[in-house]
Amino acid sequence: MTKRNNTFSYLRALGALSIVFLHTFQYISENDNIRGTDKIISMIVRNEMMWAVPVFVMISGALLLEEKREISLKKLYSKYVLRVLVLLLAFNAIYDVLNVILGQEVWSMTTLKEWILGAFSGNKWRVLWYLYLLVAIYVMLPILRKLVKAFEDRDYIYLLLILLVFQVLLPEIGLLSGKGSGFYLLFYTIYPFYLFIGYALYNRKIRIPLWLLWVMAVAGTILELIITPYSMVHKNEYLFYMLSRYSGIVTIVQAVGIYGIALSTGAGKDNEEPVKDNEEPVKDIEESVQDNEEPVKDGLLSKLMLSVDSVTLGIYLVHYVFIIIINSIETFSPFKYGCWVVALLALGIFVVSWIICLILHSIPEIRRFI
């Protein structure tokens, strides 16, 4: 029997759950100004969940840079870019209005000006930074796709090496020395690295042995578990800052390991069944079924994860509404009851956000955006 490969869908579902846990622990701990063991546990949870965004970007690289995928400039701007800009404006406004309703801000014309400037600068609602990243990826996509078409396999190795050296190694040396580094690339962030390595691994342009991928994923996870409390107890700002960035070597190692292990289950050039790109408007996915064969039915867990995957972007945007509400309740401090309560709270926020997004997803006018 033939079955559509759901690897990317499962990764996105787990990534959405991880991001909700990351934000719940991070933003509630910041709002409650907690200290001691609870703060350490909160930072461990945050750092252990950092793999999710790089994996999302790697999946985008695998799908959006695919040579067989046709993306005209009209489609790029009328669907991809427009969709993200609408969501940026809508959720900046939703968060702002909610803040006023909850008494966290006082409405005035000055407030409106601050809202507009906040949406433009991206400085007010940090949780929305990923949407600004999507805009950056989309507007550069035609150029990046031309590069991919012109590349030979060895070019990927060179590109990924110089991105690692200039975006990771030299900045780390600069931080350790306290003097910084004067060297830089025209690609000034780590995200092109994730895009290209996501594409290169998916299409077997480069190959990393499975045993090494497991070492990377496990080592990254263990190092974050060890380094996080060490950096906080010993007030080592360098180590703490390293784990707080998506360009930190430990996060890179963990995320690439997790992504590569997932690909080893069947996703990739050698298994090219259609896979839904969750960053474009939802569309029907046609599964390849040979004559006289029926598609293999998904189990319950698979169906649940596919359901989550269908609304991952919506979950990312909606869950923060609940964090704003919780942080506005001055008499409620979740960490006072223990980190396990915060974990349950994060799980509850995830489930409720998922249900709300499924309801919104059933409305045609909203479905094309969330």
Side-chain angles (χ1 to χ4, degrees), residues 64-281:
L64 295 178
L65 297 179
E66 176 59 51
E67 294 180 34
K68 294 181 180 179
R69 180 186 289 267
E70 295 296 330
I71 306 177
S72 65
L73 281 176
K74 180 180 179 181
K75 179 180 179 181
L76 179 67
Y77 280 89
S78 64
K79 290 188 175 180
Y80 288 74
V81 176
L82 178 62
R83 178 195 188 202
V84 176
L85 290 177
V86 169
L87 290 174
L88 263 176
L89 292 174
F91 277 88
N92 265 289
I94 289 170
Y95 298 160
D96 284 329
V97 171
L98 183 61
N99 239 14
V100 171
I101 294 173
L102 295 172
Q104 303 301 299
E105 286 186 80
V106 178
W107 165 255
S108 68
M109 291 307 296
T110 302
T111 304
L112 179 60
K113 179 182 177 181
E114 291 175 354
W115 289 2
I116 296 173
L117 292 176
F120 177 76
S121 67
N123 292 330
K124 185 172 184 182
W125 300 110
R126 292 178 296 159
V127 71
L128 294 176
W129 75 270
Y130 184 69
L131 294 185
Y132 294 92
L133 171 62
L134 285 181
V135 173
I137 290 174
Y138 290 157
V139 298
M140 285 295 296
L141 196 56
I143 306 301
L144 297 178
R145 286 173 56 80
K146 289 183 183 295
L147 286 176
V148 166
K149 289 181 179 180
F151 275 7
E152 297 179 3
D153 288 2
R154 63 184 179 182
D155 295 326
Y156 291 100
I157 298 175
Y158 174 73
L159 175 63
L160 293 171
L161 281 176
I162 63 171
L163 286 172
L164 276 175
V165 169
F166 282 88
Q167 304 293 42
V168 181
L169 182 60
L170 293 181
E172 295 293 352
I173 294 173
L175 285 172
L176 279 171
S177 68
K179 300 295 184 181
S181 172
F183 297 97
Y184 61 90
L185 290 178
L186 295 179
F187 287 120
Y188 206 54
T189 74
I190 191 61
Y191 301 107
F193 170 82
Y194 287 126
L195 282 171
F196 283 113
I197 198 169
Y199 173 82
L201 286 172
Y202 177 70
N203 288 276
R204 311 296 195 262
K205 303 294 184 181
I206 61 173
R207 297 174 184 267
I208 301 176
L210 182 58
W211 68 265
L212 182 55
L213 291 168
W214 274 104
V215 169
M216 292 167 65
V218 173
T221 301
I222 293 175
L223 284 173
E224 286 168 345
L225 187 62
I226 295 173
I227 295 175
T228 300
Y230 177 87
S231 67
M232 297 177 71
V233 171
H234 295 276
K235 302 186 186 313
N236 189 313
E237 294 184 3
Y238 164 72
L239 290 176
F240 185 82
Y241 182 58
M242 178 188 69
L243 295 179
S244 302
R245 295 175 295 132
Y246 292 114
S247 59
I249 187 63
V250 178
T251 300
I252 293 172
V253 167
Q254 182 196 35
V256 173
I258 291 172
Y259 178 79
I261 291 169
L263 290 185
S264 72
T265 64
K269 187 176 181 180
D270 300 330
N271 190 334
E272 293 186 339
E273 300 232 25
V275 181
K276 178 177 57 181
D277 175 5
N278 202 46
E279 291 177 1
E280 70 174 310

Side-chain angles (χ1 to χ4, degrees), residues 29-30 34-44 232:
S29 67
E30 289 176 356
I34 64 171
R35 294 288 186 269
T37 303
D38 285 345
K39 182 67 174 179
I40 291 174
I41 294 175
S42 179
M43 289 299 99
I44 289 175
M232 297 177 71

Side-chain angles (χ1 to χ4, degrees), residues 6 57 63 89 120 142 148 178 181 209 213 221 255 308 324 332 353:
N6 294 323
V57 179
L63 298 176
L89 292 174
F120 177 76
V148 166
S181 172
L213 291 168
T221 301
V308 171
I324 293 175
F332 179 54
S353 300

Side-chain angles (χ1 to χ4, degrees), residues 263-336:
L263 290 185
S264 72
T265 64
K269 187 176 181 180
D270 300 330
N271 190 334
E272 293 186 339
E273 300 232 25
V275 181
K276 178 177 57 181
D277 175 5
N278 202 46
E279 291 177 1
E280 70 174 310
V282 177
K283 59 182 179 181
D284 294 331
I285 302 298
E286 293 182 358
E287 298 187 4
S288 175
V289 182
Q290 297 180 2
D291 293 340
N292 301 320
E293 288 188 351
E294 294 182 358
V296 178
K297 293 183 178 180
D298 294 313
L300 178 60
L301 180 59
S302 177
K303 289 179 180 178
L304 291 175
M305 296 183 76
L306 292 175
S307 173
V308 171
D309 174 51
S310 69
V311 290
T312 49
L313 185 58
I315 291 172
Y316 159 68
L317 295 167
V318 170
H319 84 277
Y320 194 67
V321 168
F322 296 101
I323 294 177
I324 293 175
I325 294 172
I326 292 169
N327 281 342
S328 71
I329 305 174
E330 296 180 0
T331 57
F332 179 54
S333 177
F335 279 97
K336 182 172 65 175

